[in-house]
Amino acid sequence: MSTIQLVDISKSYGSFVACANINLSVREGEFVTILGPSGSGKTTLLTLIAGLSAPSSGQILIGGRDVTFEPSGKRNVGLVFQNYALFPHLTVYDNVAFPLTVRKLSAGDIERRVAEALDKVRLVGFEKRKPAQLSGGQQQRVALARAFVFQPSILLLDEPLGALDRKLREQVQVELRQLQKSLGITTVLVTHDQEEALSLSDRLIVLDQGRIQQIGTPEDAYLRPANLFVADFLGTANVFKGKAESHGEGYRLQLKEGTAIPCPSPPAGVQAGDLSLIVRPENMVVQPAEGGSPLRARVIDVIYLGQTVRYQLDGCHGAPLVAIVPGNRARFSPGEMVSLDWQAQDSWFVTE
């Protein structure tokens, strides 16, 4: 069953098109992330699902019911924003109870549901505290509890972890994923954080300029990007442009300066010829120039990151390159020439 279905959804503000012809289905219990740079239309899309704004054209269905022009209050959706929007004068208990009070549940039902929600987010014992007495991570968990305490059919999250520091954000990501699975609630997250999107999601929707660039699993989007935008936005991509041609039993990419490098066969529907080959930094093998592959590069910078070493490289084909290798591997110094190699199956062709 498709819990959320968007059919030819567009949203314009005057002459500015925020979303254009969006078609999307989200299955029941799925965790989907809408990912894109600032101005890509991701928050606009979330507000359309939430009912906080109406589309210029198209149709929105939730649970098979047309809610295109229904207000947010009738859609049974829970919302969490980046600033959490907690009531500063209310206690944790009263903040979480607020949606139930508005719905006029009995005192006994409110007490039971609030207790269950606070237990889910590990805040039992914090009932009498005010938001100002909580850490950022605790405030975020209160906002989550308030969003699901009334048992919504959909949970919508707009950059909910953006205000947290890196270490706390990573911790809360794990908690959020576990919570979503335990509740079994259909969840749509909006973020510009690629790592967050990859670690949390069942599927990603990558947006740019109001249009969907790719829908797929995190692995598909990262390892098999649909185009250069997705490849570059979702992580770091080394791009080799050249002419793909058959060679023996396989294929190779002939770069403009004459070097031939291994590559997979062009994907179905893509003709051999002028193409761009994507190689992720962690798949690059860096070796001494002597006796290595014919693809050469000069080391520009070496960045030690503990478990890994990141090489900034200047490729012989004139483009900057990045290689990430284990931290215990032999290191090269700035100015040294090295050879680069990879397994053909660890590369991927994309179109512009």
Side-chain angles (χ1 to χ4, degrees):
M1 177 182 176
S2 178
T3 302
I4 306 170
Q5 189 172 6
L6 307 184
V7 183
D8 295 327
I9 286 291
S10 294
K11 178 66 176 180
S12 299
Y13 298 95
S15 60
F16 174 70
V17 179
C19 292
N21 302 113
I22 300 292
N23 287 279
L24 171 66
S25 293
V26 180
R27 296 183 292 271
E28 188 172 3
E30 191 174 24
F31 196 124
V32 166
T33 296
I34 303 171
L35 178 69
S38 297
S40 62
K42 55 188 185 295
T43 294
T44 297
L45 197 55
L46 196 76
T47 62
L48 291 172
I49 297 171
L52 300 177
S53 62
S56 302
S57 61
Q59 188 179 32
I60 301 172
L61 296 97
I62 293 180
R65 183 169 61 90
D66 189 338
V67 299
T68 308
F69 298 105
E70 278 194 358
S72 180
K74 293 187 177 181
R75 296 193 185 192
N76 194 34
V77 298
L79 283 162
V80 179
F81 299 99
Q82 181 174 352
N83 63 0
Y84 313 137
L86 300 176
F87 299 113
H89 62 289
L90 296 182
T91 64
V92 167
Y93 182 95
D94 289 334
N95 264 284
V96 177
F98 182 78
L100 305 177
T101 304
V102 169
R103 288 165 173 79
K104 298 181 179 179
L105 272 68
S106 69
D109 283 342
I110 291 175
E111 185 175 355
R112 176 179 56 81
R113 289 202 191 182
V114 171
E116 289 174 353
L118 291 178
D119 182 59
K120 285 280 188 184
V121 297
R122 297 187 294 108
L123 285 176
V124 173
F126 289 77
E127 291 86 350
K128 295 182 180 180
R129 294 195 189 184
K130 299 285 184 65
Q133 298 172 299
L134 303 175
S135 68
Q138 289 166 340
Q139 290 182 41
Q140 190 265 359
R141 282 186 269 156
V142 174
L144 279 171
R146 186 179 62 182
F148 70 74
V149 71
F150 62 95
Q151 299 174 348
S153 58
I154 296 166
L155 186 60
L156 303 177
L157 311 172
D158 188 9
E159 304 270 10
L161 311 183
L164 305 180
D165 63 58
R166 181 179 178 84
K167 186 173 183 179
L168 183 56
R169 188 165 65 246
E170 291 174 350
Q171 174 188 332
V172 177
Q173 283 173 10
V174 174
E175 294 175 350
L176 178 57
R177 180 65 175 172
Q178 292 173 343
L179 177 63
Q180 189 268 339
K181 289 303 179 186
S182 68
L183 293 172
I185 189 171
T186 305
T187 301
V188 179
L189 166 72
V190 159
T191 185
H192 65 274
D193 188 310
Q194 298 96 325
E195 185 177 316
E196 185 172 296
L198 290 168
S199 65
L200 288 173
S201 314
D202 296 315
R203 280 193 303 155
L204 301 179
I205 293 93
V206 185
L207 283 186
D208 183 43
Q209 298 181 355
R211 297 182 182 275
I212 292 178
Q213 303 298 312
Q214 185 167 357
I215 300 176
T217 66
E219 184 177 6
D220 277 340
Y222 184 77
L223 296 178
R224 294 171 284 277
N227 52 43
L228 277 177
F229 170 80
V230 177
D232 185 57
F233 182 74
L234 203 61
T236 302
N238 295 305
V239 182
F240 298 91
K241 296 187 177 184
K243 187 177 292 293
E245 55 187 27
S246 58
H247 178 69
E249 297 181 358
Y251 282 81
R252 66 182 182 183
L253 189 71
Q254 193 73 36
L255 303 181
K256 291 181 180 178
E257 97 292 340
T259 305
I261 58 179
C263 66
S265 60
V270 177
Q271 297 296 317
D274 292 331
L275 292 170
S276 294
L277 187 71
I278 300 298
V279 184
R280 294 295 186 184
E282 62 272 18
N283 290 327
M284 301 277 276
V285 178
V286 183
Q287 298 174 320
E290 298 77 16
S293 79
L295 183 63
R296 298 286 195 270
R298 184 180 301 278
V299 178
I300 302 301
D301 198 7
V302 182
I303 304 170
Y304 179 68
L305 299 172
Q307 291 183 331
T308 59
V309 171
R310 179 185 178 102
Y311 289 109
Q312 303 289 146
L313 305 159
D314 185 11
C316 60
H317 62 310
L321 301 171
V322 177
I324 297 176
V325 303
N328 58 358
R329 294 281 172 87
R331 294 185 206 165
F332 301 93
S333 301
E336 280 190 74
M337 292 297 296
V338 296
S339 71
L340 303 175
D341 204 357
W342 58 85
Q343 297 295 315
Q345 65 266 25
D346 289 334
S347 56
W348 182 254
F349 279 118
V350 298
T351 58
E352 295 293 328

